[in-house]
Amino acid sequence: MLTPARDAVALRDDASRTTQGCDALLLDLDGTLLDTAPDMGGALNRLRAEHGLEPMHEQVIRPVVSHGAMRLVSLGFPGAHGGDFERLRRRFLEIYSENLVVGTRLFPGFDDVLERLEAQGLPWGIVTNKPGWLTTPLLDALGLARRAACTVSGDTVAEKKPHPLPLLHAAGLIRVRPERCVYVGDAERDIQAGRAAGMATVIAAYGYISADDHPEQWQAHGIVQAPGELLGWLDRPGPRLAP
């Protein structure tokens, strides 16, 4: 269930106090910057087909995508465990790695957001739990690697989200103090990591949030229903980035 409108307004009011002077936007990848569900779901259904199983509906797969390969394989093969599960996980990753950008795209509106950030000289970066051997070719194929001020993958540092270390590392790479960054994600661990790093946190409600999630309880500073709303979070001295 998504945050009620009155709660979203209150969160945005809190953000207007918290994020004035923001100097960088950091983004989760799957379910925040990129809609990777078509390709990750496609990989899962190809794996199921190899085992004589019917495809799962996109609406069933989509809310799980942000949680990675292990959760997807658990969804598609609920009885698998031990060595069988590990073989399925490895095969899933093999299939996915061969089909990274068949249907994956920026979420609608992000082209404009990134262009406007770049025009203002405001750095943006990616902090994801996705491993680098998948993140790098994916961003290269979409022409995003050269544009991002930093990319921190799930194996870049010794910890993953919800630990704050990946976000603190990203802030260090772009030489912006953590408290001057906004971090956007669609999972509770994103908000936990961002808050622990001292950053303002924003929930991407358009991402992979399931009916069982309760983002109103995640203690984020705010929530957006579409990427374009992020521009309103980045007020700073000098020219205003209009929402």
Side-chain angles (χ1 to χ4, degrees):
M1 182 181 297
L2 298 182
T3 306
R6 61 181 181 276
D7 294 334
V9 170
L11 290 170
R12 291 192 186 97
D13 287 344
D14 180 36
S16 68
R17 296 189 295 273
T18 305
T19 63
Q20 280 190 341
C22 167
D23 289 333
L25 180 67
L26 296 175
L27 302 160
D28 176 47
L29 189 61
D30 300 87
T32 301
L33 179 63
L34 295 180
D35 185 2
T36 55
D39 291 329
M40 294 190 75
L44 180 62
N45 278 330
R46 288 186 184 93
L47 182 60
R48 283 175 58 84
E50 289 180 357
H51 290 264
L53 299 173
E54 294 293 322
M56 301 184 77
H57 197 281
E58 179 187 4
Q59 291 182 352
V60 175
I61 297 173
R62 191 174 183 84
V64 181
V65 170
S66 280
H67 301 289
M70 293 188 69
R71 285 282 296 275
L72 282 167
V73 173
S74 294
L75 175 69
F77 299 85
H81 61 276
D84 289 339
F85 180 88
E86 181 60 17
R87 282 187 288 275
L88 288 167
R89 186 188 71 86
R90 290 182 180 179
R91 178 58 181 151
F92 167 82
L93 289 173
E94 181 181 13
I95 295 170
Y96 176 53
S97 69
E98 295 169 353
N99 300 274
L100 282 173
V101 288
V102 177
T104 292
R105 299 290 185 272
L106 287 168
F107 276 99
F110 246 122
D111 273 322
D112 182 58
V113 171
L114 298 183
E115 288 173 4
R116 293 178 69 180
L117 295 179
E118 291 162 358
Q120 291 288 339
L122 195 72
W124 63 272
I126 296 164
V127 183
T128 176
N129 279 359
K130 203 180 195 82
W133 67 276
L134 292 172
T135 302
T136 298
L138 176 57
L139 295 178
D140 283 342
L142 294 173
L144 295 172
R146 57 183 174 77
R147 298 173 63 184
C150 69
T151 299
V152 178
S153 298
D155 49 4
T156 300
V157 294
E159 301 284 352
K160 297 181 181 181
K161 299 174 295 181
H163 198 282
L165 182 59
L167 288 170
L168 294 172
H169 183 66
L173 290 174
I174 59 178
R175 299 183 180 182
V176 174
R177 298 199 309 272
E179 65 270 20
R180 307 277 289 188
C181 298
V182 172
Y183 185 57
V184 188
D186 68 316
E188 186 174 13
R189 66 177 173 274
D190 298 322
I191 306 307
Q192 292 171 336
R195 291 185 66 93
M199 298 181 181
T201 55
V202 180
I203 298 169
Y206 56 84
Y208 306 142
I209 297 178
S210 75
D212 295 328
D213 288 323
H214 298 282
E216 71 277 5
Q217 299 177 8
W218 295 353
Q219 298 184 321
H221 295 97
I223 186 167
V224 294
Q225 302 295 332
E229 295 178 23
L230 290 170
L231 293 170
W233 280 80
L234 304 174
D235 289 337
R236 59 176 184 156
R240 176 185 173 88
L241 290 175

